[in-house]
Amino acid sequence: MSMDHSISNETKSRWPGGARAVIAVTVHMDGPAVEQGRKQNGLGMYSKGRYSARCGVPRHLEILARHGISATFFMCGYDAERYPDLMRDVHGAGHEIAAHGYQHEGFDLGDQEPALLERTHAILSDCVGEAPVGWCSPSGRKSTLTLPTLRRLGYCYDASEKDDDLPYLANIDGRVADDFIILPNNTISLDDAPLFTNGQATAAEAYDNWIEELHALVQTDGYVHFTVHPRAGYGSGTPARAAAFDRFLETAKTVPGLKFVKLNELANHCLKRPELWREPRA
Ligand SMILES: [Zn+2]
């Protein structure tokens, strides 16, 4: 499986600004929308999403600001309804607001999906005064209705797939789209959730794993898509884990030729020359 990896001349780069490699930091807020979507009561063990709004997102905003890094924040419509000021804080700090379900629907939605995508799209657009152009499915669930609906709403990228090391043009309704790019997101190796779900990794172990992945990806195709969740429980909102995130960014900033990008910037860059991102797979 390979794509057009033919840009091997060191004087050329497939990435914005002629960078050797790019890193997109994506923050999945995963607030109380997660528990609400699971019909949990938000109390006690079901309050971990609320931590994201109260502590985790502000902590991650401070870390990103200190490093001068702009990120992409995937937000649920329900969380935007509950915390509109927080959404505007994130947007006002220069980060991208992208869509992540209404109540983090981690199940197959069937015919309900277009209406829920439209609902969250309207909530986020109204909340921050700018329409999202990117989406990442909660828990990775998609259907055949997902991409046609997103494109109709004006989206240009999806960050849900786990099937490639590089971006590639989407296939929508049986045709390769020149106006919609898949920005794959490997949610095992460069994500906090699988490491922290049951407390099975320490923050130091997570850091070591992320650094190993970072250096390997920079050496190969140069696309690094790194995801954190500011919640308690499976996320990195708590202090020691947030400190590992902080140290990871500090190290990433020292990698020669590695450029930080928001996903909307990366999508726009790719779609300026769609022929470079067309899949050659049979
Ligand atoms: Zn999520």
Side-chain angles (χ1 to χ4, degrees):
M1 178 258 329
S2 72
M3 299 183 45
D4 180 4
H5 292 204
S6 63
I7 304 177
S8 56
N9 185 333
E10 288 181 3
T11 63
K12 292 184 179 176
S13 165
R14 55 164 59 88
W15 305 119
R20 175 186 179 198
V22 289
I23 177 167
V25 176
T26 69
V27 181
H28 293 210
M29 176 174 164
D30 283 18
V34 173
E35 284 77 16
Q36 189 71 22
R38 293 173 182 169
K39 305 202 181 329
Q40 296 163 341
N41 66 5
L43 302 173
M45 68 180 290
Y46 301 129
S47 66
K48 295 169 188 164
R50 206 155 54 242
Y51 188 92
S52 201
R54 295 162 69 106
C55 304
V57 170
R59 185 168 284 138
H60 283 203
L61 283 177
E62 185 278 321
I63 291 168
L64 289 164
R66 185 157 32 77
H67 289 296
I69 294 169
S70 297
T72 297
F73 279 69
F74 285 98
M75 302 296 204
C76 294
Y78 178 84
D79 288 337
E81 289 176 330
R82 289 201 56 179
Y83 302 104
D85 290 342
L86 185 64
M87 299 289 144
R88 290 190 274 269
D89 286 348
V90 172
H91 185 254
H95 303 296
E96 175 191 3
I97 302 288
H100 193 49
Y102 178 65
Q103 290 181 343
H104 204 273
E105 293 82 9
F107 49 88
D108 294 324
L109 288 167
D111 294 344
Q112 298 176 54
E113 188 171 19
L116 279 166
L117 292 173
E118 289 168 16
R119 181 177 186 181
T120 292
H121 184 71
I123 292 166
L124 295 178
S125 302
D126 290 347
C127 184
V128 300
E130 182 179 2
V133 298
W135 184 76
C136 184
S137 79
S139 307
R141 297 304 181 106
K142 286 173 67 175
S143 77
T144 55
L145 299 173
T146 313
L147 293 190
T149 305
L150 291 173
R151 181 156 70 169
R152 174 168 57 75
L153 293 171
Y155 288 64
C156 68
Y157 77 83
D158 168 30
S160 307
E161 302 298 328
K162 291 95 174 64
D163 59 352
D164 211 307
D165 291 328
L166 283 172
Y168 60 91
L169 296 180
N171 191 315
I172 303 181
D173 290 334
R175 296 183 60 177
V176 175
D178 279 353
D179 60 353
F180 200 106
I181 190 112
I182 301 295
L183 302 176
N185 180 14
N186 185 335
T187 47
I188 294 295
S189 56
L190 275 167
D191 192 319
D192 55 355
L195 296 165
F196 293 149
T197 296
N198 295 312
Q200 63 270 52
T202 66
E205 288 168 337
Y207 170 82
D208 288 345
N209 174 67
W210 296 334
I211 292 297
E212 196 174 339
E213 294 284 349
L214 169 72
H215 288 308
L217 286 169
V218 168
Q219 291 296 326
T220 53
D221 290 313
Y223 170 65
V224 184
H225 188 147
F226 177 69
T227 297
V228 288
H229 302 73
R231 39 183 287 135
Y234 61 74
S236 294
T238 50
R241 293 174 177 184
F245 171 52
D246 192 342
R247 282 202 299 139
F248 173 80
L249 297 180
E250 187 67 48
T251 302
K253 283 166 63 181
T254 67
V255 175
L258 180 63
K259 181 181 175 64
F260 284 85
V261 292
K262 293 185 282 191
L263 290 182
N264 57 354
E265 295 169 340
L266 182 60
N268 289 334
H269 167 82
C270 293
L271 293 171
K272 276 186 200 154
R273 291 190 64 191
E275 69 277 8
L276 294 180
W277 308 96
R278 193 177 293 273
E279 285 187 286
R281 296 191 192 98

